[in-house]
Amino acid sequence: MKRFINHLTMTLITVATLAACQPQNNGIRLEHQGDTLTIVHITNPTRYLILPIQESHNEGKVKLITGSPTDIAIDVRLAVDSVEYYVPLALPQSSEATVSISHVAANAICWDSIRLADNFDTTNTDYYRPVYHHTPLYGWMNDANGLVYKDGEYHLYFQYNPYGSKWGNLHWGHSVSHDLIHWEHLDPAIARDTLGHIFSGSSVVDKNNSAGYGKDAMIAFYTSASDEHGQIQCMAYSTDNGRTYTKYEKNPILTPFDGLKDFRDPKVFWYEPAQKWYMIVSADKNMRFYSSTDMKNWEYLSLFGEGYGVQPNQFECPDFIRLPVNGDKNNMKWVMIVNINPGCPFGGSATEYFVGEFDGKEFKCDNDKSVTKWLDFGKDHYATVCFSNTGDRTIAMPWMSNWQYANVTPIRQYRGANALPRELSLYTKDGEIYMAANAVKETEDLRKGTEFINDFALSDEYIVSPLATGIEGACELEMDITPNKAQTTGFQLLNDKGEKVDIYLDMKSGRIVMDRNQSGLTAFGEKSELHFKETDDHRKTESVNYVNDFALGTWAPLSLCEGKTYHLDVFVDKCSIEIFIDNGRIAMTNLVFPTQPYNALRFYSEGGEAKVKNLKVHQLGL
Ligand code: FRU
């Protein structure tokens, strides 16, 4: 049974739900000191203080007072006029506990329902929670962090706020998996501290005991971020297979030599030719390279990036990997993954990459500065980095959202999911090297049943309904489409309300398009509502291309593929659609919020006959 769930759920779920809603103010004494400071005196603390949340309100300052310099201090959007959900604050198990809460008015509604409890119910309450994608049990999640494989376990750490479903209080949350598909939720591994939020970073297995914490210790590198100390790189080590980390007592290990404000997301890797550890840190519009023998003292080497790719942008979350071109191990190339925000052609955040050579000091990109290569052509693929220690495989894990609207998606108990893990490889097209990102083969284990549909020629329309999508609309569609040369061939995923996602090959412009204009809920959050617009012709991808909205289509150039026939692998999971074409030569990841699951497919062709072969509908589940 899952350890984290064990800690947090009751044995009897029904009882838990009731208990979670019962005020138990026995044991709590509230002392309001003035209008915005309240001291919560607790006798015989239970395991948790349950905090009522209202997302639209400002953050209150919550501090556990134990007299220790490492007292927990967090920002919590405590409910002022209505309670939306609750989060647990773990209490010290002594005879008394004191919590100070400031910036929350004495007449706020939270004081009526703040309570003590030994359990916190994490049974899912969100309609849009994916069936087979990784999500936190509750709270906010953004970037994948510290991805590392060790002793049969994939460790997925992630930017995590356990005290609300909006960005804040960054910890490293933690889940592990044996197959990249089934995830077990564990306790957060690294908690926010007095140096600041625990921002993104990476982990390695210290095979040669370079850091001195033992052979095979796991070493995590992250950015501590605070107004007081800025963005500084820190280190922590684990000798219990990544369950708990001890922060290095002399942190930080690296500060910016020029006082740079944006200096974060350290990626550490072993560079065999130099027998050293290397670190890449995103430094505003560059990546800076460092090297070290003991992981604690870092020497600056070089920088890469200014002016490369889409401009202007903020570089974040680097990764640096070495891959064979077309599988040929005699032809290896280095690839720098750069996540940029903003810069996405469809607005907000996106992931670009640069292919080139590395001589142990400097990275030189093969392409001109103006060339941008995208790892994904959707709008909800960000902060993508790879697992370390995976041998010949290179597996990337994206966060499936976009900074434009990540904080206001129509979800409550948790906010943030990972896209499917992807296997990365290099291929050539017209003399250029590109990186393919295909869903890992382990996703085949999700298939619970398959409907095979006979091949058909398409001159007008062809409807597959009902669609055997299985559990709550979670399915995978595979097909080979040979489009007509002249115009448009595609299909719509539809539900009974007429909500639809339109996926089509536009041969005139040479694009594959995923249009979510009418996919369901497309406007959320105050700002998005103001910006929301309907387009009469949803194929006008070009015209909605730079709009900072959710309602739009995203597209990719079909010139990345070889052929007249395109193999499409489409994953649908409650609130997301990921398309992989020709084994990931094109990947496209988009969120969608249909108000009921899509349950039909309408194929269509305009301007000539097309062919659809090998159509399979796989029902997916864990
Ligand atoms: C990317 C990012 C990182 C940072 C983290 C903070 O999404 O902005 O650069 O470390 O999120 O949560």
Side-chain angles (χ1 to χ4, degrees):
M1 189 58 193
K2 303 171 181 179
R3 189 153 68 96
F4 194 42
I5 291 179
N6 258 348
H7 283 180
L8 295 176
T9 52
M10 297 185 86
T11 28
L12 290 171
I13 298 293
T14 44
V15 177
T17 314
L18 283 175
C21 304
Q22 300 295 324
Q24 292 180 14
N25 277 333
N26 290 350
I28 294 185
R29 187 169 59 81
L30 299 174
E31 183 195 337
H32 296 298
Q33 293 184 355
D35 192 41
T36 64
L37 174 65
T38 299
I39 309 296
V40 184
H41 299 276
I42 301 165
T43 42
N44 300 322
T46 50
R47 197 189 285 268
Y48 303 114
L49 181 64
I50 304 290
L51 304 171
I53 305 296
Q54 184 177 9
E55 286 198 343
S56 53
H57 273 280
N58 293 339
E59 291 169 326
K61 305 266 169 216
V62 177
K63 198 164 182 196
L64 199 58
I65 317 265
T66 66
S68 146
T70 56
D71 275 350
I72 292 179
I74 49 171
D75 305 320
V76 186
R77 295 174 193 277
L78 284 157
V80 174
D81 12 72
S82 72
V83 179
E84 292 173 2
Y85 56 87
Y86 295 87
V87 295
L89 169 68
L91 293 172
Q93 297 303 288
S94 47
S95 58
E96 291 192 338
T98 309
V99 178
S100 89
I101 302 183
S102 63
H103 298 83
V104 180
N107 62 358
I109 204 166
C110 60
W111 307 122
D112 298 341
S113 52
I114 193 166
R115 62 177 187 270
L116 295 169
D118 271 324
N119 300 285
F120 180 69
D121 185 10
T122 58
T123 310
N124 180 43
T125 55
D126 269 316
Y127 173 70
Y128 286 114
R129 190 186 286 271
V131 172
Y132 58 85
H133 285 81
H134 173 261
T135 53
L137 291 174
Y138 67 94
W140 161 271
M141 178 176 90
N142 58 295
D143 315 356
N145 297 150
L147 300 174
V148 57
Y149 179 75
K150 182 171 188 280
D151 298 339
E153 287 182 324
Y154 292 94
H155 294 267
L156 165 56
Y157 301 99
F158 48 88
Q159 288 290 278
Y160 183 48
N161 181 5
Y163 305 110
S165 302
K166 279 183 181 282
W167 188 90
N169 301 309
L170 276 311
H171 290 49
W172 274 23
H174 189 197
S175 295
V176 291
S177 172
H178 294 285
D179 60 5
L180 293 164
I181 297 301
H182 298 86
W183 293 99
E184 181 184 352
H185 299 90
L186 302 180
D187 290 333
I190 308 180
R192 180 181 175 181
D193 58 28
T194 45
L195 283 181
H197 294 282
I198 310 296
F199 271 14
S200 292
S202 56
S203 306
V204 295
V205 176
D206 188 5
K207 290 189 173 157
N208 302 325
N209 193 16
S210 313
Y213 300 116
K215 191 175 157 350
D216 289 339
M218 288 167 74
I219 316 287
F221 299 87
Y222 58 88
T223 303
S224 282
S226 66
D227 290 344
E228 197 184 343
H229 305 286
Q231 299 187 352
I232 50 182
Q233 313 321 313
C234 295
M235 182 174 115
Y237 63 92
S238 169
T239 50
D240 60 357
N241 271 342
R243 267 56 183 179
T244 57
Y245 280 83
T246 306
K247 288 167 184 154
Y248 174 46
E249 68 281 4
K250 294 191 185 140
N251 275 334
I253 50 167
L254 182 66
T255 55
F257 48 70
D258 49 1
L260 202 63
K261 189 173 136 285
D262 291 296
F263 184 66
R264 56 181 181 266
D265 310 338
K267 170 70 194 187
V268 172
F269 62 99
W270 176 249
Y271 183 64
E272 189 67 30
Q275 293 290 300
K276 283 185 179 173
W277 295 97
Y278 278 55
M279 182 191 285
I280 304 176
V281 186
S282 58
D284 196 9
K285 294 174 177 57
N286 270 298
M287 296 298 184
R288 288 186 187 166
F289 282 82
Y290 297 81
S291 72
S292 170
T293 47
D294 62 1
M295 301 193 190
K296 294 168 182 160
N297 297 288
W298 293 90
E299 185 194 345
Y300 174 71
L301 294 176
S302 64
L303 86 177
F304 166 79
E306 186 97 42
Y308 277 83
V310 168
Q311 297 296 319
N313 56 46
Q314 171 74 56
F315 278 19
E316 298 185 322
C317 301
D319 209 333
F320 198 53
I321 49 183
R322 197 159 177 256
L323 288 167
V325 181
N326 297 321
D328 177 4
K329 288 199 174 160
N330 295 317
N331 184 11
M332 303 290 288
K333 278 286 183 183
W334 283 97
V335 182
M336 166 83 77
I337 295 178
V338 177
N339 290 278
I340 52 168
N341 183 34
C344 176
F346 314 109
S349 37
T351 309
E352 52 186 18
Y353 64 89
F354 302 94
V355 180
E357 300 288 341
F358 184 59
D359 61 6
K361 182 159 193 273
E362 274 180 288
F363 173 66
K364 292 224 164 59
C365 179
D366 286 353
N367 291 106
D368 187 73
K369 282 186 168 184
S370 61
V371 176
T372 305
K373 296 179 179 175
W374 298 107
L375 192 51
D376 190 283
F377 291 86
K379 193 164 171 175
D380 299 301
H381 171 282
Y382 195 55
T384 305
V385 285
C386 303
F387 284 90
S388 68
N389 204 32
T390 48
D392 279 348
R393 294 185 75 183
T394 303
I395 302 163
M397 193 78 163
W399 168 49
M400 192 157 53
S401 200
N402 187 308
W403 278 118
Q404 274 187 348
Y405 42 70
N407 270 286
V408 293
T409 50
I411 298 176
R412 211 144 99 168
Q413 184 185 29
Y414 80 99
R415 219 182 248 117
N418 292 103
L420 285 175
R422 288 129 200 246
E423 192 100 33
L424 303 183
S425 60
L426 294 179
Y427 67 98
T428 45
K429 179 72 203 303
D430 302 331
E432 269 296 320
I433 302 175
Y434 296 98
M435 188 150 68
N438 203 17
V440 293
K441 62 181 181 329
E442 286 86 343
T443 54
E444 290 173 16
D445 294 341
L446 293 167
R447 296 177 187 166
K448 301 294 173 237
T450 300
E451 185 183 358
F452 294 87
I453 292 162
N454 289 337
D455 298 350
F456 54 92
L458 192 61
S459 48
D460 183 12
E461 67 169 13
Y462 185 95
I463 291 175
V464 183
S465 173
L467 200 60
T469 51
I471 316 161
E472 302 177 90
C475 68
E476 178 190 357
L477 311 168
E478 279 191 286
M479 68 195 84
D480 294 310
I481 300 187
T482 313
N484 63 70
K485 288 199 204 89
Q487 279 223 348
T488 306
T489 302
F491 62 90
Q492 295 165 340
L493 266 161
L494 301 151
N495 66 18
D496 295 340
K497 291 187 167 172
E499 295 166 347
K500 59 183 178 227
V501 180
D502 200 350
I503 297 169
Y504 58 93
L505 308 169
D506 177 347
M507 301 316 284
K508 268 198 178 155
S509 60
R511 292 173 175 179
I512 171 140
V513 180
M514 190 190 321
D515 184 331
R516 65 178 178 191
N517 269 289
Q518 300 171 46
S519 54
L521 301 181
T522 51
F524 23 79
E526 280 168 45
K527 210 168 161 227
S528 302
E529 261 153 40
L530 290 176
H531 288 187
F532 176 57
K533 63 179 71 60
E534 298 238 18
T535 64
D536 49 351
D537 181 354
H538 59 273
R539 301 240 179 81
K540 280 188 190 155
T541 338
E542 201 113 62
S543 64
V544 294
N545 200 340
Y546 287 94
V547 172
N548 295 341
D549 279 334
F550 191 84
L552 47 57
T554 71
W555 61 268
L558 286 168
S559 56
L560 290 172
C561 302
E562 288 295 355
K564 303 203 173 349
T565 297
Y566 301 89
H567 181 74
L568 270 65
D569 198 358
V570 183
F571 289 83
V572 184
D573 189 7
K574 289 295 275 191
C575 64
S576 66
I577 301 190
E578 288 156 283
I579 309 183
F580 301 96
I581 304 177
D582 291 353
N583 298 318
R585 280 177 176 232
I586 294 173
M588 190 183 282
T589 303
N590 282 314
L591 293 175
V592 285
F593 295 101
T595 57
Q596 63 185 52
Y598 303 119
N599 59 359
L601 271 179
R602 176 181 169 267
F603 283 86
Y604 62 91
S605 180
E606 292 164 5
E609 193 178 90
K611 290 191 179 60
V612 177
K613 290 188 171 175
N614 307 316
L615 174 58
K616 291 177 210 141
V617 183
H618 304 290
Q619 299 171 12
L620 300 189
L622 286 175

